[in-house]
Amino acid sequence: MKPFHFFSVKWLSWRFALILLSITLSLELAIVPSLVAHTQAVEDLNNNEPFTPPGDDSPDDDTKGAGTRDGGHCTNDNATADEPGFSVLAPVENKTIAQRPTFSLYIPETAAQKVFFSLKNAENEEEYDYQTIITLPTTAIGNEFSFPLPEDAPDLKTNTPYQWSISLICQQSLDPNDPTLHGIIERVESQQITVN
């Protein structure tokens, strides 16, 4: 008579196959719903509907010359539409013989106490890039304000156009909606400037 084996090889292999099948089904049931959800999320991204950003921080429609917004006033200023705003007092595109030109602005009555100034090579942005924050003297508010290219900025090279940008800092830090002026300045040899 053959001894009875509680765990025969056939029985163990059959039992192992059932366990493996149940684990596979459990994993499939756990993974497939998340894959379906992920696939639906990707399909939703490709629906070609226009994106509408949240909030009301879009630029105003009354953009003025040289790039100012809000009529050249900070949104928290109590300015009326007929009051002059933040503006440049020199042509937006300008030629100069100065290595360190002077920038002249009109600063309206404003709560802003600083301006952000940047200058970069208009043809090769990697070659020259300068940024600084300038504190406005109290006498500048409601008046003309002029400042030379700051001492820590490199001199301008001749026959190279530079793009400048000046923004009122209306809050504690610069915001994309702060009034901003843009222009081009180029240093040339004195004989290249003609007076009309």
Side-chain angles (χ1 to χ4, degrees), residues 89-104:
L89 298 177
V92 175
E93 293 191 22
N94 200 6
K95 294 189 185 276
T96 182
I97 58 171
Q99 286 180 310
R100 311 191 75 68
T102 297
F103 296 85
S104 295

Side-chain angles (χ1 to χ4, degrees), residues 39 145 153 162:
T39 303
F145 172 63
Y162 295 91

Side-chain angles (χ1 to χ4, degrees), residues 47-188:
N47 62 8
N48 294 328
E49 289 182 24
F51 172 72
T52 305
D56 296 337
D57 293 331
S58 59
D60 292 341
D61 293 332
D62 65 342
T63 301
K64 302 242 175 162
T68 62
R69 293 177 178 164
D70 298 323
H73 297 278
C74 294
T75 54
N76 56 343
D77 290 340
N78 294 324
T80 61
D82 59 335
E83 291 181 64
F86 182 52
S87 54
V88 64
L89 298 177
V92 175
E93 293 191 22
N94 200 6
K95 294 189 185 276
T96 182
I97 58 171
Q99 286 180 310
R100 311 191 75 68
T102 297
F103 296 85
S104 295
L105 313 167
Y106 174 76
I107 308 293
E109 291 290 334
T110 181
Q113 298 177 354
K114 298 177 182 179
V115 293
F116 173 79
F117 174 74
S118 70
L119 188 69
K120 63 183 176 183
N121 185 316
E123 295 173 343
N124 181 359
E125 294 182 15
E126 296 174 5
E127 186 178 304
Y128 185 104
D129 190 11
Y130 175 78
Q131 299 176 351
T132 192
I133 293 176
I134 299 169
T135 301
L136 295 170
T138 54
T139 56
I141 307 300
N143 288 302
E144 178 182 333
F145 172 63
S146 297
F147 65 94
L149 183 63
E151 290 295 321
D152 59 338
D155 293 341
L156 300 185
K157 296 179 185 175
T158 56
N159 302 317
T160 302
Y162 295 91
Q163 181 180 353
W164 57 264
S165 176
I166 303 172
S167 301
L168 281 177
I169 301 176
C170 295
Q171 302 293 324
Q172 296 297 321
S173 60
L174 186 63
D175 184 275
N177 290 320
D178 287 344
T180 301
L181 305 170
H182 302 281
I184 301 287
I185 190 163
E186 182 178 354
R187 181 180 168 210
V188 295

